[in-house]
Each structure stands twice: as C-alpha cells, then as structure tokens.
Amino acid sequence: MKAFESTTKNIFFTSLVSLHQAETNNTNKANVTELQASHSHSGWDFLRPLRNWLDTLKVGDRQFAHRVCRLIPPQCPFERDVKLFGKVLFHIPPMCKLNPLYEEVVGLRFRALCYLADECGEDISQYC
C-alpha cells in the first residue's frame, strides 16, 4: 500500500465531515455560502494574459520546436518512489499540476511535437 492512497482518502473524509458539520449548523451555513461565492468569483485572473499568449503562440520554426520539446519534459520530473532496502517508504506525487500554467505549457509542447512530426516529417520518438 502506498502512503498517498490512504492520505487521499483521509483528506476526502475529513473535508466531507467538515462540510457536513457546517451544513447542520444554521449559523455556519451563511459563512459556507459566502466562502463558496467568493471562491467561485475569484475576480480578475492575473495570469490570463500569459495563458492567452501561450495558447496563441504558433510553432512555425523547426529550431524553436526542438527547443520547446527539449525544455519541457514529457512527464513530471519530481514524481518518484522513495525506497529503503528495496521497500517503498513513500511516494512523492507529481507536483507539476500545481503549476498554474501547466495546461498551456503542455499544450505548447504538444503543438511543437505535432509540428515536427506533421510539417517537418521528423521522428519525435526521442522526445517521448
């Protein structure tokens, strides 16, 4: 059994219990509603211009596409199992998804790979 499996279940259970207790108490009900409303309307997204720029960035140069594929790894480099004497002590989950620009960066890498394969006709197996 990996440590993250039971941790995820405990976190889910704890948050479920907390929400259930808050809903049963009428005085806390207004506070929960205010918190949800403020979270759903977070206001202006200050990373939106950068996200739009990354999404609209065209890959039209072979060297640029190779550079993007070399710089952006195909999988998270931080995910790993910590072992001692052949036994897994704990698992470090991938933290790349905590990056607020993760989807846009992965999309840019995908567009670069597609450009190299489709337009340039190159073998992209070295980047996979």
Side-chain angles (χ1 to χ4, degrees):
M1 179 171 98
K2 294 185 179 180
F4 70 91
E5 290 173 355
S6 62
T7 305
T8 305
K9 292 175 187 172
N10 289 340
I11 290 172
F12 177 73
F13 179 70
T14 304
S15 63
L16 183 66
V17 169
S18 297
L19 286 176
H20 180 65
Q21 289 173 351
E23 287 176 359
T24 58
N25 191 349
N26 290 335
T27 58
N28 289 338
K29 198 168 192 176
N31 293 339
V32 171
T33 307
E34 289 174 12
L35 180 63
Q36 290 173 347
S38 67
H39 181 65
S40 64
H41 303 292
S42 60
W44 188 69
D45 183 14
F46 65 93
L47 290 175
R48 178 58 51 202
L50 187 56
R51 284 191 180 115
N52 289 340
W53 179 74
L54 283 172
D55 279 338
T56 59
L57 192 62
K58 302 291 181 201
V59 180
D61 182 26
R62 188 178 148 280
Q63 290 179 341
F64 176 69
H66 278 289
R67 193 175 304 125
V68 166
C69 292
R70 276 193 304 263
L71 290 176
I72 302 171
Q75 59 197 21
C76 187
F78 303 110
E79 179 182 20
R80 59 189 80 235
D81 289 328
V82 178
K83 298 180 180 182
L84 183 65
F85 302 118
K87 292 196 173 209
V88 177
L89 294 177
F90 57 93
H91 176 79
I92 300 174
M95 296 190 197
C96 294
K97 292 187 180 184
L98 296 177
N99 180 357
L101 300 173
Y102 175 77
E103 296 294 327
E104 290 77 12
V105 170
V106 169
L108 177 62
R109 184 178 196 280
F110 181 73
R111 289 194 307 273
L113 286 171
C114 289
Y115 176 79
L116 288 174
D118 297 339
E119 303 290 325
C120 301
E122 294 188 21
D123 180 28
I124 58 169
S125 61
Q126 64 183 347
Y127 297 120
C128 296

